[in-house]
Amino acid sequence: MNNLGNDIEIAIVEKFRRGETSAMDRLYAAYANYLTGVCCRYIVHDDDLKDVLQESFIKIFTRMNSFNYRGKGSLRAWVTKIAINECLLFLRRQKQNTFVVDVDPPDIPDEEPDTEGLSGDVLTRLIRQLPDGYRTVLNLYVIEGKSHKEIAEMLNIKPDTSASQLHRAKNMLAKFIKDYKRYGYE
């Protein structure tokens, strides 16, 4: 985020502190597209995605008084955390996180997905085709930078299960990408 982004965060926080009615509109305008992208990585069906996004904004709006601005990017990080937690809560409620539990992770090397030449939209669509458990762990590990221990705590699974899910997700995504590059479909 550049200086302008920092100024926007400060302006939004100040509007909430002053109780201005435009504060929610300003926050929504600043983060709706970004948070839609975040939720899209976890939630596959558009109607569910809209519901989770709405619940995320409700929590953001009602908890803004507890937000403590800590400098550039802190508001974005805070709203992102809320949206991800709402996604995980939704998946738990739907019992969609199906994890294949291995005693030991497969003894074959990860196949790193070759994402070169893929647009972000295509890559997102391919990731959304992964089974829920794979997709969730891949997002938390690769994009959110969580450790397998942190993921295990968040999802109530074992760290080895997280590692196994990531391994399987990478291999499946690599196959999806190869097929897309070879045949041009998703």
Side-chain angles (χ1 to χ4, degrees):
M1 234 181 206
N2 57 22
N3 240 2
L4 179 62
N6 193 35
D7 293 343
I8 290 170
E9 286 189 340
I10 292 169
I12 291 169
V13 170
E14 288 302 316
K15 283 180 178 291
F16 271 96
R17 286 194 181 131
R18 290 190 300 263
E20 292 183 23
T21 56
S22 65
M24 286 190 256
D25 291 337
R26 183 77 187 260
L27 189 142
Y28 185 84
Y31 293 104
N33 288 338
Y34 168 72
L35 292 179
T36 298
V38 169
C39 293
C40 183
R41 293 193 321 255
Y42 294 89
I43 309 298
V44 175
H45 301 290
D46 289 340
D47 288 342
D48 295 335
L49 189 146
K50 289 174 187 172
D51 290 344
V52 169
L53 190 61
Q54 179 179 350
E55 288 300 316
S56 298
F57 274 108
I58 290 169
K59 281 203 176 152
I60 291 165
F61 295 153
T62 59
R63 295 181 181 174
M64 271 304 287
N65 61 345
S66 69
F67 172 71
N68 185 16
Y69 184 75
R70 294 189 174 124
K72 181 179 175 182
S74 62
L75 180 58
R76 181 178 173 128
W78 185 73
V79 299
T80 301
K81 183 177 179 178
I82 289 173
I84 290 170
N85 286 338
E86 283 301 305
C87 290
L88 297 178
L89 182 62
F90 173 82
L91 291 171
R92 275 193 293 273
R93 285 182 182 150
Q94 299 299 310
K95 296 186 183 354
Q96 291 180 350
N97 273 331
T98 52
F99 296 99
V100 178
V101 181
D102 287 335
V103 175
D104 295 309
D107 194 20
I108 53 176
D110 277 345
E111 184 172 352
E112 289 298 321
D114 177 14
T115 59
E116 189 171 330
L118 291 181
S119 72
D121 288 343
V122 168
L123 185 57
T124 298
R125 285 195 302 268
L126 294 173
I127 289 171
R128 289 181 85 193
Q129 291 179 22
L130 293 171
D132 294 321
Y134 294 6
R135 185 179 60 255
T136 301
V137 171
L138 179 81
N139 281 309
L140 291 171
Y141 187 87
V142 174
I143 297 173
E144 306 305 332
K146 302 292 184 191
S147 69
H148 288 300
K149 182 180 177 188
E150 291 170 313
I151 294 169
E153 290 170 4
M154 293 172 80
L155 301 178
N156 198 27
I157 59 175
K158 294 180 181 178
D160 288 348
T161 302
S162 175
S164 175
Q165 296 297 292
L166 178 64
H167 172 81
R168 291 169 183 267
K170 284 182 173 181
N171 288 337
M172 185 176 282
L173 183 58
K175 181 187 180 323
F176 288 169
I177 291 171
K178 281 181 186 175
D179 288 349
Y180 176 80
K181 287 182 174 183
R182 185 176 302 137
Y183 305 113
Y185 63 86
E186 298 164 43

